[in-house]
């Protein structure tokens, strides 16, 4: 468990180092995640400790966002002043993005099936 | 009475108080929500955040006092992000099976996220600073703040919009996807991760490991792509 946590922290540190060294806009933890994913894929196996450490961190991941979420308290006045415009943009564009992405992916996923159906129909004619 | 005020003055300055209150509120909300009739709209993150905002306002406690103590939780976000590699690795075969559709869908989803904010921002006549700070709202906070800085938005405000997007999104995602009959957990996970970054991913992980894996991947890819796309779009569209 401690070994697994050490590994996770090392990958974060590695990610932070790469991000700073090359002045990348991508934050260290995201780079660390991609590197750990690459490393696990190369190694081809997952230790039990790593499984436990990750579920410890991820099972209640939403809890970790609470302190940042409470930070909206600092902007309550600005938000109140422009609330209608902000609400319209936030709600509508978030809804459009979720639905648009989901339907696009669903369509792409079914595309090969649809195409092979069409080909079969054409062959029948 | 004086003793009580003294006690309160002491408690709210000890490092333990706000951290413990955050944990207790989270546990209590989770407990209550579990016992309510199935209502996908409510989640412990949203409830806890709202309750704590209310408590800080009522007790007139500055955010600095709160974050100095509860910031410990925020620190764990870094390693938790790295740990997302594990559900991704566990679902690597499923990710590979869908690799081509995922990679084609990614730029389309990113562009939908950016252009919808752009169009709606113009329509509602929000100020330039507001509009620019809203642009990276589907991107994970640290990337979003970097983008906002680069395009002359306000990084701190961008971070608030990212959070609000996550909150609004976790409210509407499930009913919307049900309405449009998207039932595949992989598709749901990817769409939520792309639109709602870490908050959406955290929510997906509570539903299934598989959805969480697709969500985490979408978050990382969309964050990286947007860091390039948004400054370019702002540069060309002005």
């Amino acid at each position: 468990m401690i070994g697994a946590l050490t590994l996770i922290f090392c990958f974060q540190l590695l990610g932070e180092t790469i991000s700073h060294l090359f002045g990348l806009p991508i934050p260290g933890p995201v780079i660390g995640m991609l590197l750990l994913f690459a490393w696990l894929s190369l190694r081809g196996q997952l230790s039990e400790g790593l499984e436990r450490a990750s579920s410890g961190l991820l099972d209640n991941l939403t809890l970790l966002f609470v302190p940042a979420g409470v930070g909206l308290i600092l902007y309550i006045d600005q938000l109140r002043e422009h609330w209608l415009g902000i609400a319209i943009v936030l709600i509508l564009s978030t809804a459009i993005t979720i639905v648009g992405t989901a339907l696009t992916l669903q369509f792409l996923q079914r595309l090969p099936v649809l195409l092979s159906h069409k080909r079969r129909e054409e062959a029948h004619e | 009475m004086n003793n009580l005020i003294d006690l309160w003055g002491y408690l709210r300055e000890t490092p333990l108080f706000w951290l413990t209150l955050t944990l207790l509120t989270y546990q209590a909300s989770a407990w209550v929500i579990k016992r309510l009739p199935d209502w996908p709209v409510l989640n412990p993150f949203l409830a806890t955040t709202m309750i704590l905002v209310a408590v800080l306002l009522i007790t007139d406690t500055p955010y600095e006092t709160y974050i100095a103590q509860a910031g410990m939780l925020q620190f764990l976000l870094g390693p938790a992000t790295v740990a997302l590699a594990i559900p991704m690795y566990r679902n690597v075969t499923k990710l590979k099976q869908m690799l081509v559709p995922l990679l084609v869908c990614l730029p389309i989803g990113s562009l939908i996220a950016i252009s919808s904010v752009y169009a709606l921002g113009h329509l509602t006549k929000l100020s330039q600073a507001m509009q620019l700070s809203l642009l990276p709202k589907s991107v994970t906070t640290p990337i979003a703040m970097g983008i906002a800085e680069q395009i002359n938005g306000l990084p701190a405000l961008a971070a608030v919009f990212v959070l609000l997007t996550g909150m609004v999104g976790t409210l509407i995602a499930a009913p919307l996807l049900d309405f449009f009959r998207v039932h595949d957990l992989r598709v749901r996970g990817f769409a939520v991760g792309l639109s709602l970054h870490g908050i959406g991913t955290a929510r997906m992980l509570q539903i299934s490991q598989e959805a969480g894996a697709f969500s985490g991947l979408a978050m990382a890819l969309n964050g990286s792509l947007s860091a390039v796309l948004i400054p370019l779009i702002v540069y060309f569209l002005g």
Side-chain angles (χ1 to χ4, degrees):
Chain A
M1 178 78 177
I2 288 297
L5 277 177
T6 312
L7 186 77
I8 289 171
F9 276 95
C10 282
F11 270 94
Q12 188 185 348
L13 192 60
L14 187 63
E16 302 277 10
T17 311
I18 292 174
S19 174
H20 274 273
L21 207 58
F22 299 101
L24 298 177
I26 305 163
V30 173
I31 298 177
M33 168 187 121
L34 296 173
L35 288 176
L36 179 58
F37 178 65
W39 188 74
L40 289 173
S41 305
L42 281 176
R43 231 173 131 239
Q45 58 166 329
L46 206 57
S47 73
E48 200 194 318
L50 209 50
E51 295 249 15
R52 255 189 298 157
S54 83
S55 63
L57 282 166
L58 296 179
D59 284 352
N60 286 296
L61 182 54
T62 53
L63 169 67
L64 307 185
F65 284 100
V66 170
V70 175
L72 74 86
I73 206 169
L74 295 173
Y75 294 89
I76 276 188
D77 291 333
Q78 267 157 293
L79 295 174
R80 204 178 276 160
E81 200 181 327
H82 304 281
W83 70 274
L84 187 61
I86 293 172
I88 292 174
V89 178
L90 265 176
I91 297 172
L92 284 183
S93 90
T94 302
I96 293 169
T97 309
I98 295 173
V99 174
T101 308
L103 292 181
T104 307
L105 185 56
Q106 199 168 48
F107 171 75
L108 288 168
Q109 203 187 5
R110 290 176 182 170
L111 196 59
V113 184
L114 293 174
L115 285 178
S116 70
H117 268 289
K118 208 178 164 203
R119 243 178 257 140
R120 223 173 293 154
E121 274 169 26
E122 278 169 0
H124 271 288
E125 287 163 12
Chain B
M1 190 62 204
N2 260 337
N3 278 342
L4 267 182
I5 294 169
D6 279 351
L7 179 66
W8 168 240
Y10 167 74
L11 273 183
R12 77 171 204 182
E13 299 301 328
T14 60
L16 208 56
F17 181 72
W18 290 107
L19 181 62
T20 314
L21 190 68
T22 306
L23 290 168
L24 279 176
T25 313
Y26 189 83
Q27 294 281 330
S29 335
W31 189 87
V32 170
I33 289 169
K34 221 186 204 171
R35 273 153 191 82
L36 288 175
D38 189 31
W39 200 34
V41 164
L42 261 185
N43 61 70
F45 163 70
L46 202 62
T48 309
T49 308
M50 289 307 153
I51 293 170
L52 285 171
V53 166
V55 171
L56 289 186
L57 285 177
I58 292 166
T59 58
D60 205 15
T61 306
Y63 180 65
E64 287 73 23
T65 309
Y66 173 76
I67 198 66
Q69 302 175 19
M72 202 197 281
L73 290 174
Q74 197 162 309
F75 170 75
L76 288 173
L77 268 180
T81 305
V82 177
L84 282 173
I86 285 114
M88 267 167 63
Y89 172 72
R90 229 185 275 133
N91 289 280
V92 69
T93 7
K94 286 172 195 154
L95 288 172
K96 268 189 196 152
Q97 276 167 4
M98 272 179 74
L99 195 62
V100 177
L102 290 181
L103 290 182
V104 177
C105 184
L106 167 70
I108 300 175
S110 287
L111 283 175
I112 295 176
I114 300 164
S115 56
S116 60
V117 175
Y118 208 89
L120 289 162
H122 273 276
L123 276 178
T124 50
K125 299 199 172 64
L126 281 174
S127 73
Q128 180 83 357
M130 281 274 172
Q131 286 189 35
L132 289 173
S133 311
L134 273 164
L135 274 180
K137 74 171 188 24
S138 280
V139 179
T140 181
T141 314
I143 305 186
M145 291 178 80
I147 295 174
E149 198 173 359
Q150 215 180 341
I151 60 177
N152 294 322
L154 305 165
L157 199 59
V160 173
F161 290 147
V162 170
L163 284 159
L164 287 174
T165 302
M167 292 181 192
V168 168
T170 49
L171 278 173
I172 61 175
L176 264 180
L177 290 168
D178 287 343
F179 180 79
F180 283 93
R181 297 190 187 164
V182 180
H183 298 302
D184 189 327
L185 280 177
R186 299 168 297 176
V187 177
R188 288 173 81 106
F190 193 83
V192 166
L194 189 143
S195 319
L196 310 175
H197 40 79
I199 296 177
T201 303
R203 190 79 195 111
M204 283 290 112
L205 277 168
Q206 290 173 336
I207 294 163
S208 93
Q209 285 278 328
E210 190 185 9
F214 278 78
S215 189
L217 181 75
M219 175 191 80
L221 293 178
N222 184 43
S224 313
L225 182 64
S226 299
V228 182
L229 267 185
I230 295 178
L232 274 179
I233 290 174
V234 170
Y235 178 79
F236 283 112
L237 292 180

